[in-house]
């Protein structure tokens, strides 16, 4: 068995080298996505309809070739190229009479960790989304009053609950109402400017005491159902102008592989990236994969002008014919298009981002 030990050792080193190479390339790609390591979401976060619609619209535009402003979210009407859905990490508090003399229903500390937002990103939208349960027109309950308060001091997760500060929002809604939205752009900007990169709010939901109402309901049952169905999240849009590039997109579906008489000549080859093969399907929500393609083939001097080549590539091929030590022109992408990705990061935030130069549309010699 001893003679086989060097073979086993070489095999082990080769597999180790390939593994390290993959890990390095994976790390580089994750950095490109704005991630420090492979996400491993602890909890699946539901994707709201608006994020699904924006993703579908961007994919449809990529297929049909409709020009897009990569730094403007038309569905929301705000500048931006990165959308994040931050889940609420706060907790329910003990119910007691607060500032308003009305029947208390529930109180909750809302906590959002904004550390994923980078320094270069400009906040353009912050919308608090409160889901009070399924809307119903047939079984209307009491009228609810929602009050939002700022915390007096910057919130540090794990410490004792801070006292509520100034009330900045008050709204009355019938129950069950469904989804309620609050504009928190100013509040989120202040929270994002502090060193802890977090946002803490107090929410109190009160049941209005209407003794003359003929609607018969049990207060305790109303609050219990509201507490079971309640869900909060923060939809944030940011703008990184460094990633804003003019889009000169062609229709993806209309691009066909160059017809050549010789398969060895430079042209585009199909390559489908399946995220499940890479083990990334656990954190990438959509797409499941994409047709990335790649360029491969020869660039002979006699056909350089007909292979979608640049003038420089033609001159390089000409010089190679005179001096063989000068390398030949190589087959490279000459036209690329972007994709959109919907995924969860290490903080269970749902993120929708637009990434340039992910799909090879055309190849040429350069």
């Amino acid at each position: 068995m001893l003679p086989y030990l060097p073979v086993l050792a070489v095999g082990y080193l080769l597999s180790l080298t390939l593994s390290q190479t993959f890990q390095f390339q994976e790390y580089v790609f994750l950095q490109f996505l704005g991630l420090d390591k492979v996400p491993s979401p602890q909890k699946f976060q539901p994707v709201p309809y608006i994020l699904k619609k924006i993703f579908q619209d961007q994919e449809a535009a990529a297929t049909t070739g409709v020009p897009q402003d990569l730094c403007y979210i038309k569905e929301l009407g705000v500048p931006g190229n990165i959308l994040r859905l931050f889940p609420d990490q706060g907790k329910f508090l003990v119910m007691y009479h607060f500032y308003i003399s009305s029947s208390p229903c529930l109180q909750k500390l809302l906590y959002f960790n904004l550390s994923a937002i980078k320094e270069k990103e400009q906040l353009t939208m912050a919308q608090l989304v409160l889901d009070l349960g399924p809307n119903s027109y047939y079984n209307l309950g009491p009228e609810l009053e929602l009050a939002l308060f700022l915390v007096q001091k910057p919130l540090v997760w794990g410490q004792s609950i801070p006292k509520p500060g100034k009330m900045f929002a008050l709204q009355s809604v019938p129950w069950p109402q469904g989804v309620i939205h609050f504009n928190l752009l100013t509040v989120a900007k202040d929270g994002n400017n502090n060193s802890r990169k977090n946002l803490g709010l107090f929410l109190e939901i009160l049941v209005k005491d209407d003794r003359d109402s003929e609607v018969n309901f049990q207060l305790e049952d109303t609050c219990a159902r509201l507490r079971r169905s309640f869900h909060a999240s923060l939809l944030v849009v940011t703008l990184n102008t460094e990633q804003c590039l003019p889009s000169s997109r062609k229709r993806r579906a209309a691009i066909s592989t160059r017809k050549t008489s010789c398969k060895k000549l430079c042209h585009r080859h199909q390559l489908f990236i399946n995220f499940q093969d890479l083990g990334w399907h656990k954190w990438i929500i959509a797409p499941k994969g994409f047709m990335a393609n790649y360029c491969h083939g020869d660039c002979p001097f006699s056909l350089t002008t007909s292979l979608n080549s640049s003038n420089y590539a033609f001159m390089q091929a000409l010089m190679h014919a005179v001096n063989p030590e000068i390398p030949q022109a190589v087959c490279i992408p000459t036209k690329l298009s972007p994709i959109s990705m919907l995924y969860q990061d290490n903080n269970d935030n749902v993120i929708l981002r637009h990434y340039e130069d992910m799909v090879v549309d055309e190849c040429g010699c350069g």
Side-chain angles (χ1 to χ4, degrees):
M1 296 296 293
L2 291 178
Y4 293 97
L5 289 179
V7 177
L8 294 175
V10 171
Y12 172 76
L13 291 176
L14 179 60
S15 62
L16 182 62
T17 301
L18 293 175
S19 175
Q20 291 176 342
T21 301
F22 174 77
Q23 290 177 359
F24 174 75
Q25 293 175 341
E26 183 181 47
Y27 173 77
V28 173
F29 181 72
L30 291 173
Q31 290 288 311
F32 171 73
L33 296 182
L35 300 170
D36 297 327
K37 59 181 179 179
V38 177
S40 118
Q42 301 298 317
K43 180 181 179 182
F44 174 77
Q45 298 296 337
V47 181
Y49 169 77
I50 185 62
L51 285 187
K52 292 180 181 178
K53 185 179 187 307
I54 294 173
F55 173 80
Q56 292 169 354
D57 289 348
Q58 291 177 346
E59 285 295 287
T63 302
T64 58
V66 177
Q68 292 188 82
D69 185 348
L70 303 181
C71 288
Y72 187 79
I73 311 298
K74 64 178 182 179
E75 292 84 356
L76 299 175
V78 296
N81 53 358
I82 305 174
L83 295 89
R84 294 183 179 91
L85 186 70
F86 295 94
D88 170 36
Q89 301 179 27
K91 57 184 178 181
F92 288 97
L93 308 178
V94 178
M95 292 183 294
Y96 58 95
H97 287 277
F98 212 28
Y99 293 100
I100 303 176
S101 58
S102 190
S103 302
C105 192
L106 64 84
Q107 294 173 332
K108 192 175 191 306
L109 175 65
L110 303 178
Y111 172 77
F112 302 101
N113 184 354
L114 306 181
S115 61
I117 301 177
K118 308 301 181 183
E119 295 294 336
K120 295 181 180 180
E121 298 177 34
Q122 175 188 353
L123 274 170
T124 60
M125 176 180 169
Q127 185 180 80
L128 178 64
V129 183
L130 301 180
D131 190 348
L132 306 182
N135 200 346
S136 174
Y137 297 98
Y138 303 101
N139 186 23
L140 293 177
E143 186 174 6
L144 304 178
E145 192 167 64
L146 281 69
L148 280 168
F149 302 82
L150 293 171
V151 296
Q152 290 183 342
K153 296 180 180 180
L155 180 62
V156 178
W157 188 243
Q159 292 186 358
S160 59
I161 300 172
K163 294 181 179 180
K166 179 182 178 181
M167 178 193 297
F168 67 91
L170 182 65
Q171 182 174 343
S172 297
V173 296
W175 188 81
Q177 172 64 24
V179 178
I180 307 294
H181 300 96
F182 290 92
N183 183 1
L184 297 187
L185 181 58
T186 302
V187 177
K189 282 184 176 180
D190 294 338
N192 192 49
N193 287 334
N194 70 61
S195 59
R196 296 176 181 83
K197 295 282 186 180
N198 53 39
L199 177 63
L201 304 171
F202 271 104
L203 169 67
E204 184 175 43
I205 300 181
L206 308 170
V207 177
K208 286 195 172 181
D209 189 5
D210 188 1
R211 300 182 184 277
D212 298 330
S213 176
E214 296 181 357
V215 178
N216 184 18
F217 66 92
Q218 296 295 329
L219 177 60
E220 184 177 349
D221 180 60
T222 299
C223 295
R225 282 188 293 158
L226 180 61
R227 183 166 179 159
R228 287 194 300 268
S229 60
F230 180 84
H231 179 79
S233 58
L234 183 68
L235 179 60
V236 173
V237 180
T238 61
L239 175 66
N240 186 343
T241 56
E242 294 181 356
Q243 299 173 355
C244 297
L245 300 174
S247 177
S248 57
R249 179 177 309 167
K250 287 185 65 177
R251 183 176 177 178
R252 243 186 240 169
I255 299 173
S256 60
T257 304
R258 180 181 294 275
K259 301 296 183 180
T260 59
S261 58
C262 180
K263 294 183 180 180
K264 293 184 178 181
L265 295 180
C266 175
H267 68 279
R268 191 189 65 162
H269 300 257
Q270 290 188 345
L271 172 63
F272 182 77
I273 303 295
N274 189 331
F275 291 135
Q276 187 168 3
D277 294 340
L278 300 174
W280 294 352
H281 62 289
K282 297 179 181 179
W283 55 277
I284 295 181
I285 302 172
K288 302 302 181 184
F290 68 101
M291 190 66 73
N293 305 323
Y294 69 97
C295 297
H296 182 69
D298 298 333
C299 293
F301 171 70
S302 58
L303 295 176
T304 300
T305 55
S306 64
L307 294 179
N308 198 25
S309 306
S310 63
N311 292 333
Y312 179 81
F314 176 78
M315 295 302 300
Q316 184 175 351
L318 183 63
M319 293 303 299
H320 174 76
V322 176
N323 184 2
E325 293 185 0
I326 298 176
Q328 289 184 346
V330 295
C331 186
I332 59 173
T334 57
K335 191 172 187 62
L336 297 153
S337 61
I339 68 168
S340 298
M341 287 181 57
L342 190 63
Y343 60 92
Q344 283 189 235
D345 65 7
N346 287 300
N347 294 319
D348 290 341
N349 304 318
V350 177
I351 302 175
L352 174 59
R353 291 189 65 172
H354 198 73
Y355 294 101
E356 284 293 325
D357 301 338
M358 295 289 284
V359 177
V360 174
D361 294 330
E362 296 179 2
C363 299
C365 296

